[in-house]
Amino acid sequence: MSVFAVLDPAVGLAHDVVAALALVVPTALAIVLFTVCVRLALHPLARAAARGEKSRARLAPRVAELNRQHKGRPEKLQAALAELYREEKASPFAGCLPMLVQIPFFSVMYRLFTTPNDLLGHTLLGAPLGLHVGQVQGAGQWAVFAVLYAGLAAVAYAGFRRARRAQAVQAAKAVPGTPPQPGLAFLPYLSFGTVLFAALVPLAAGVYLLTTTTWTAVERAWLYRDGAPEPAGVALV
C-alpha cells in the first residue's frame, strides 16, 4: 500500500469539493478556485510568518552581537538567544510555519492528480487534465503545456530575483569576517524546481502548481510592500 494512502480521506474530500465546483465552472478553473480558497485560509499564517521574519531581521544585529560575546560557549549563546526571542516575543522558526502547513495540502493535491479519477478525464482547451507532457499529441496540446510552463518559469524567475535581492541585502548587513553559509548561493535556483516538477506530473497538477506559486509570489510582494527585508530562502509553494 502506498504511503500516500493515509491521505485518502482528505483526497476524497478535495475531490468532492473540486467536483462540485466543476458542475458550475470548467474543471481546470475549479482547481484554481479550490487552491485559492485553501491559500486564502492559510493567509493568516503567512502574515504571522512575515511578522516573525521582520522581527528576526530587526534583531539580527543583536543576535550577531550575542554570537560575538558568547563565541565558543554554545550553552550560554543558546540561553541568551532564547531570552532575547522571549523578550521580543519573536521566534526563529516562524517563517517555516506556512511551508510546513502547506506540505499536507500539497501531498493531498499530488495524490488527487496522480491517482486515476473522473476529474482527470476533463480537458483544458482540448488537453486532458490527466495528460503528461510525454503523451502530448498535436499542436493544440503542446500549446497548452507551453503556456503552463512559461507561466511557471515566469513566476520562478520572479522568485529567483527576489531571493537574490534578499541575499544581497543580507550580505551587505553581515558582520565583516562572517563566513558565508554553505549552499546559500544555490538557494535562489530552487525557485525553478516547480518547473521541473511540473514536467513529471499531469496537467491538472501543473495547473495547481501555477496557481499556488503565483499566489505565493503575490502574497510575499504584498506582505513585504513596506520595504522590509525578505528572507533569503525560497518558497516553492
Side-chain angles (χ1 to χ4, degrees), residues 16-103:
D16 292 344
V17 174
V18 175
L21 290 171
L23 296 176
V24 183
V25 298
T27 304
L29 180 56
I31 295 171
V32 172
L33 293 176
F34 178 67
T35 304
V36 168
C37 288
V38 173
R39 292 303 306 268
L40 185 61
L42 296 176
H43 181 67
L45 293 178
R47 293 179 66 88
R51 288 194 297 269
E53 289 164 353
K54 291 175 183 179
S55 295
R56 286 200 305 277
R58 177 173 54 82
L59 295 175
R62 295 174 64 182
V63 171
E65 178 61 22
L66 289 175
N67 275 282
R68 186 190 65 79
Q69 291 178 0
H70 301 291
K71 185 177 181 179
R73 295 178 294 176
E75 295 83 3
K76 291 189 175 182
L77 174 60
Q78 291 302 319
L81 289 174
E83 179 63 23
L84 173 63
Y85 285 121
R86 184 164 52 251
E87 289 178 355
E88 298 293 333
K89 297 181 180 180
S91 169
F93 307 110
C96 302
L97 186 56
M99 179 71 72
L100 293 176
V101 172
Q102 286 180 54
I103 289 175

Side-chain angles (χ1 to χ4, degrees), residues 124-128 131 136-148 203:
L124 172 61
L125 299 178
L131 189 69
V136 171
Q137 296 180 353
Q141 293 184 356
W142 275 116
V144 171
F145 276 87
V147 171
L148 173 68
L203 176 60

Side-chain angles (χ1 to χ4, degrees), residues 140-173:
Q141 293 184 356
W142 275 116
V144 171
F145 276 87
V147 171
L148 173 68
Y149 294 151
L152 285 168
V155 176
Y157 182 69
F160 171 81
R161 290 282 303 272
R162 189 170 57 244
R164 289 290 295 269
R165 286 196 299 268
Q167 285 187 347
V169 171
Q170 289 188 3
K173 294 183 177 180

Side-chain angles (χ1 to χ4, degrees), residues 148-234:
L148 173 68
Y149 294 151
L152 285 168
V155 176
Y157 182 69
F160 171 81
R161 290 282 303 272
R162 189 170 57 244
R164 289 290 295 269
R165 286 196 299 268
Q167 285 187 347
V169 171
Q170 289 188 3
K173 294 183 177 180
V175 177
T178 302
Q181 299 180 22
L184 190 62
F186 177 73
L187 281 180
Y189 294 93
L190 294 179
S191 298
F192 296 100
T194 51
V195 184
L196 299 177
F197 186 75
L200 305 176
V201 295
L203 176 60
V207 172
Y208 156 71
L209 285 172
L210 179 58
T211 304
T212 193
T213 54
T214 301
W215 178 281
T216 297
V218 174
E219 183 178 64
R220 292 173 75 86
W222 170 259
L223 291 175
Y224 293 92
R225 66 191 184 282
D226 55 1
E230 292 190 48
V234 176

